[in-house]
Amino acid sequence: MTATDQQPLGSPFSAATTAEDVMAGRDLSGTTAVVTGGYSGLGLETTRVLTAAGARVVVPARRPDVARAALRDVKGSEVVPMDLADLDSVRSAAAHISDRIDRIDLLMAVAGVMATPERRVGPGWEGQLTANHFGHFTFTSELYPLLAAAGGARVVVNSSAGHTLTGIRRHDPHFRTGYDRWLAYGQAKTANALFAVHLDALGRGDGIRAFALHPGKIITGLQREMKLEEQIERGWVDEHGHVVGADFKTPSQGAATGLWAATSPLLDGRGGLYLEDCDVARVSAPGTPMDDGGVRAYAVDPEEAAWLWDLSVALTGATPITR
């Protein structure tokens, strides 16, 4: 990828586009998708629309009973237990999936956590970076042979405008020297974007293309760790918890960019890009407001992506992917 690739393509869609708009007329019969977090919020919308188009959708879920209840009426979906913050659980889920299917056409990393209290997982790792990045990194590495077997798979990773809060803290990625929940979230979302950059570089020879995206501002279960008072102060909701922000999307609009990334012919032959509002995002200047859109240069930097990839392999012990 070059910087000139990271600019809008002139997509016919926009911020107002819904998941149904993106998928209108698409037939995904015979394709298999894996959607992490595919049972609530944007993930549930994604699963519904993919299955309606004929895809088989596997949903790894930290709360499998809740997931099965949410997907009871969604024909073509199935649930596999998986906790992204527990790499043994991630490997077990990947092994289970690998035993049951022989290819994955779409891998959509939708699950995530946001601005959580300080949590240490595994060998003392910071919880948001682990759940949002290391878990998905390990999962994708384990499933790589199934992606390669599809001969044209796409991997779609939900990042966020929150990536503008910070790049990768090379000096202290696990916040050993003082925790900040928003900086931890921002770093994890930058990691999501960089993961797509290097996965695309490694995978394109096997037909695998990867994209990261900002789904837009949506109130979903992602905010569950935030107090109502804080959401009111930020102008997101009223005292009853009802959304009041004018620039918020519906869950269907929020799911649209991920589905566009997964299926749009405009993205054929492209990859390693950061998307928003159903188009490729422009690079934003340092210091511009988060809500102005775009992607920071550090979140699509190939050298930074390679550094994070090497760190991720070293920490997780994931099977290296070589070109």
Side-chain angles (χ1 to χ4, degrees), residues 264-285:
S264 175
L266 276 179
L267 294 172
D268 287 349
R270 302 176 191 269
L273 299 168
Y274 180 97
L275 316 175
E276 64 185 0
D277 296 338
C278 298
D279 206 337
V280 178
R282 57 183 170 74
V283 177
S284 60

Side-chain angles (χ1 to χ4, degrees), residues 57-72:
V57 181
V58 179
V59 178
R62 183 174 58 84
R63 300 172 294 164
D65 291 344
V66 173
R68 291 188 184 101
L71 296 168
R72 186 177 294 119

Side-chain angles (χ1 to χ4, degrees), residues 23-71:
M23 297 299 291
R26 296 204 183 282
D27 182 2
L28 297 183
S29 300
T31 65
T32 298
V34 177
V35 181
T36 71
Y39 61 101
S40 65
L42 305 187
L44 179 56
E45 282 297 318
T46 300
T47 300
R48 281 180 180 145
V49 176
L50 288 174
T51 56
R56 174 189 184 184
V57 181
V58 179
V59 178
R62 183 174 58 84
R63 300 172 294 164
D65 291 344
V66 173
R68 291 188 184 101
L71 296 168

Side-chain angles (χ1 to χ4, degrees), residues 1 3 9 19 28 46 54 62 75 77-78 89 102-103 126 174 177 182 216 228 239 275 288 295 298 316:
M1 188 201 79
L9 296 174
L28 297 183
T46 300
R62 183 174 58 84
K75 301 287 186 285
S77 66
E78 55 199 277
S89 168
D102 58 7
R103 58 182 272 175
E126 192 280 308
H174 290 294
T177 56
W182 282 107
L228 179 62
E239 64 270 23
L275 316 175
T288 54
V295 60
Y298 60 69
T316 66

